[in-house]
Amino acid sequence: MIAHEHPKIITETDALRIKEGAPHPRGATWDGAGTNFAVFSEHATRVEVCIFDDTGNRELQRIVLPEYTDQIWHGYVPEIWPGTPYGYRVHGPYEPEAGHRFNPNKLLLDPYACAHIGELTWHPAIFGYKMETGDDLTFDERDSAPYVPKSTVVDPAFDWTGPRDRNRIPWDDTIIYEMHVRGYTKEHPGVPEEYRGTYAGLGTKEVLNYIKSLGVTSVELMPIHTFINDSYLLDKGLTNYWGYNSIGFFAPDPNYASNKRDSLREFKQMVARFHHAGLEVILDVVYNHTAEGNELGPTLSFKGMDNASYYRLIPDQKRYYINDTGTGNTLNLSHPRVIQMVTDSLRYWVQQTHVDGFRFDLGTILAREPNGFDNRSGFLKAVSQDPVLGTVKLIAEPWDVGPGGYQIGAFPPGWAEWNGKYRDDVRDFWRGELSAMALADRLCASASLFNHQGRRPWACVNFVTAHDGFTLNDVVSYNEKHNEANGEDNQDGTSDNRSWNCGVEGPTEDKEIIALRQRQMRNMLATLLLSQGTPMMVAGDEFGRTQGGNNNAYCQDDEISWINWSLEEKNHLMVQFVRKLTALRHKYPILRRNLFLNGEYIEDLGVRDVTWMNANGSQMSPDDWQDPTVRCFGMLLDGRAQTSGIRQRGKEATILIVINGYHDAVIYTLPEAVGACAWSLLIDTNIPDFTTSPSFAVGSTYMVTARSLLVFVLEAEPVTPNHVEPNE
């Protein structure tokens, strides 16, 4: 333990150099001569800002903020420079049963801090009550400063090299690539050792060139807001690897920086390099809860700043927290100052770090009011009218664990949403548990869920895998989860994985099973990247990354979670296959239409946008759709269909996607199409190194391998009819 000298207490009556300052902006704002401190607390009686030495270990002085304006405590202190560590001590009632947990013995992080220094030590002193008693009604007088991280004043100036503004990639063109900052480069051979697992490592040229080569447009980073490692994980030798445990909504986590004291600048440099490479940066953000937990959790920031304002409390038992997140607490997005903090945070990341969008963890929480989910909640209305946030991508995870928490398709216009139904149905189809009829809507951007209020197909974010759950390789290699390394007796993580191990649990040397697994991975990647809507891939799925069957690796900061780059060379054909799929998606606009497909015949245009074809080359009948045994069908996307609200013929290519989820080969008759008489084969998932584009006349038959997917494009010139045998 570091011995702290008693700091010099400076009050507003004896410190003439301290000025009133301003209530705006919130946080610590340096102006070149000093720093303005402003912090919200509705119920506090006094707020002190505590200044520390450069190491953050020794408290030098405490300064009472002299002014209180519109619930904002503020004051200006000369000669406080960037890099100065600081924290707050907030006085007020300690009345847990009334929702108040003020304790000035606890040093608090600034909710608006743009950088942090130091690590959290799990010591009884960081709790507002006497932790050893287990009674949160007690009051603890120990100083927490030696054990908690500090906020630091920052210089926001940054010379943006390359493109100065964000990359405005249209939603229709977007392909998302989800990754973890640390895990992506921790074992990357092309990244210098000192940069591996950092923002700087992610921004290296070799890494960016590879990401760009995949054909993706937008990288979605798992949480980079400063977060806390849970004590129960540390006790087991584990960590909160995923980072869904935020304690600072304006600060990039310093543990991802090669230079922790310059974490903000390093993050900005990384974004600038992504933009220079033509890539977007989307942040996965966690505004639904904080790391302070429930009534027995530590006092680190919001709980000691104004517990009754920042958190949703049980109305008639304010000692306790509403727990719609499953993490102990829920941020109170019904409070105007909390809404303001979140929207200020979002604008900060857009305006100061130039990020291109956000994915909102447990997004349903953000739309909750006291009466439940409301797609016209205060937060959603605030965001929808915001001129800054209206320029970036907004993606909701449309579920939480609270009552009525599953709200897919219910977010307002302007939002995109993760489509968990797509993941489940695509997995079910390829393991033989779903009919063609159930899959068709998913291929069409789940119009039944999203086609309302003028929403576009891009609002449906399709994925087969995400950070939470099996990797793509594990979806085809394991029937059961294998989470033993998490130390919870394999009880954690979902048991509903919709996976199929193809006959053997885990790794195998059986060549037939290996071939089937690889084909199944290609099938799901092709389905994902050829469906209408916005596709999202998980980093490493393009070359078969595995977590050994662990479907809940949130606590594994090791080889289980890190990307194994040796697989890139081993499975290079899979990487080439992904590149070909993304190239097709970019080349053929009909694969990423801005209008929902409806299959209706437009008489004056003489065309349907999509026609569903059975294996005989005829249009699917009602009986075909109702037959649960029908697993082989075609999706004919007619390039003559109108591409906008203007009623005129399109001039795009016509594409035929043939999907065979049946366990045996099927002879498929290539259908007729107006204006042409030949089909050129672009993809056959049964052929790993498919490079040619052979042509087949209308009416020809093609033996479609069991569990495989084909893509044809319509040609204008005739060829001689032929018959193709199975490509086994």
Side-chain angles (χ1 to χ4, degrees), residues 598-624:
N598 57 39
E600 296 178 1
Y601 183 73
I602 308 300
E603 189 168 354
D604 53 335
L605 299 181
V607 66
R608 284 184 175 86
D609 52 13
V610 61
T611 304
W612 303 97
M613 314 300 295
N614 62 25
N616 296 324
S618 303
Q619 187 172 343
M620 294 273 283
S621 68
D623 288 342
D624 290 332

Side-chain angles (χ1 to χ4, degrees), residues 220-456:
E220 182 176 301
L221 301 179
M222 290 175 66
I224 57 88
H225 287 172
T226 302
F227 64 92
I228 295 299
N229 274 312
D230 311 76
S231 60
Y232 78 92
L233 290 176
L234 295 175
D235 290 344
K236 294 192 293 185
L238 303 171
T239 65
N240 193 318
Y241 173 72
W242 286 353
Y244 291 94
N245 204 30
S246 300
I247 197 62
F249 298 123
F250 292 77
D253 195 295
N255 291 308
Y256 292 153
S258 61
N259 181 352
K260 292 185 178 182
R261 283 190 168 274
D262 213 8
S263 56
L264 178 59
R265 184 175 300 276
E266 186 173 321
F267 178 82
K268 289 180 177 180
Q269 184 66 52
M270 180 203 73
V271 174
R273 288 175 176 168
F274 268 86
H275 285 177
H276 187 67
L279 296 164
E280 288 185 318
V281 176
I282 297 171
L283 300 184
D284 190 342
V285 289
V286 188
Y287 295 112
N288 53 73
H289 76 284
T290 79
E292 291 184 303
N294 62 15
E295 68 277 2
L296 298 179
T299 297
L300 305 174
S301 180
F302 312 93
K303 187 178 289 185
M305 196 69 67
D306 194 337
N307 185 69
S309 295
Y310 277 109
Y311 294 114
R312 292 194 187 278
L313 307 178
I314 297 176
D316 56 350
Q317 292 182 298
K318 293 186 177 180
R319 176 183 175 184
Y320 304 108
Y321 297 76
I322 292 174
N323 186 21
D324 289 332
T325 63
T327 59
N329 65 54
T330 304
L331 213 57
N332 183 14
L333 267 295
S334 295
H335 194 292
R337 291 299 187 196
V338 182
I339 290 179
Q340 185 178 32
M341 178 188 69
V342 174
T343 52
D344 282 350
S345 169
L346 293 168
R347 283 188 294 268
Y348 172 82
W349 291 101
V350 173
Q351 295 176 313
Q352 291 297 317
T353 75
H354 293 196
V355 301
D356 306 278
F358 305 94
R359 178 266 186 187
F360 294 82
D361 179 63
L362 300 184
T364 304
I365 292 285
L366 307 179
R368 280 190 183 276
E369 296 291 359
N371 61 336
F373 176 83
D374 184 350
N375 67 2
R376 295 188 178 183
S377 70
F379 173 75
L380 291 181
K381 286 189 287 190
V383 170
S384 68
Q385 59 76 47
D386 192 288
V388 173
L389 302 181
T391 66
V392 299
K393 291 181 167 70
L394 303 174
I395 306 169
E397 181 184 38
W399 50 78
D400 63 29
V401 301
Y406 198 75
Q407 293 291 336
I408 188 168
F411 276 72
W415 283 76
E417 302 174 39
W418 272 24
N419 187 354
K421 291 182 180 293
Y422 181 94
R423 171 201 58 209
D424 293 347
D425 287 352
V426 170
R427 289 188 185 186
D428 276 349
F429 178 83
W430 285 112
R431 70 188 180 119
E433 299 291 335
L434 196 77
S435 68
M437 182 175 67
L439 184 66
D441 187 45
R442 302 293 168 247
L443 299 174
C444 296
S446 296
S448 62
L449 297 172
F450 293 98
N451 189 10
H452 58 87
Q453 296 181 290
R455 300 183 78 180
R456 299 288 184 165

Side-chain angles (χ1 to χ4, degrees), residues 165-176 212 215-219 274-275 277-282 356-357 391-393 458 534 586 592:
D165 203 357
R166 300 187 312 277
N167 290 334
R168 299 179 184 272
I169 295 173
W171 264 113
D172 302 346
D173 298 333
T174 301
I175 301 174
I176 299 172
K212 186 72 175 176
V216 300
T217 65
S218 312
V219 166
F274 268 86
H275 285 177
L279 296 164
E280 288 185 318
V281 176
I282 297 171
D356 306 278
T391 66
V392 299
K393 291 181 167 70
W458 56 256
T534 302
H586 290 308
R592 45 184 171 84

Side-chain angles (χ1 to χ4, degrees), residues 463-527:
F463 63 101
V464 178
T465 59
H467 66 271
D468 187 2
F470 279 155
T471 65
L472 185 61
N473 178 84
D474 293 356
V475 169
V476 301
S477 301
Y478 296 91
N479 285 349
E480 308 295 337
K481 63 184 179 181
H482 296 270
N483 298 352
E484 290 80 7
N486 297 352
E488 299 180 42
D489 297 323
N490 205 31
Q491 298 301 304
D492 62 304
T494 182
S495 296
D496 183 21
N497 294 292
R498 316 291 180 103
S499 60
W500 176 46
N501 64 18
C502 300
V504 173
E505 187 76 354
T508 181
E509 298 298 322
D510 188 307
K511 292 182 179 180
E512 290 188 6
I513 292 178
I514 292 173
L516 175 57
R517 287 176 175 177
Q518 291 178 341
R519 187 163 74 248
Q520 286 284 73
M521 284 192 281
R522 288 191 292 272
N523 288 337
M524 283 185 268
L525 286 168
T527 305

Side-chain angles (χ1 to χ4, degrees), residues 661-698:
Y662 194 54
H663 61 77
D664 203 352
V666 173
I667 298 175
Y668 194 90
T669 301
L670 297 175
E672 296 181 358
V674 176
C677 55
W679 293 99
S680 179
L681 180 62
L682 304 178
I683 293 285
D684 183 340
T685 59
N686 187 51
I687 307 175
D689 55 350
F690 190 89
T691 55
T692 60
S693 297
S695 295
F696 304 93
V698 167

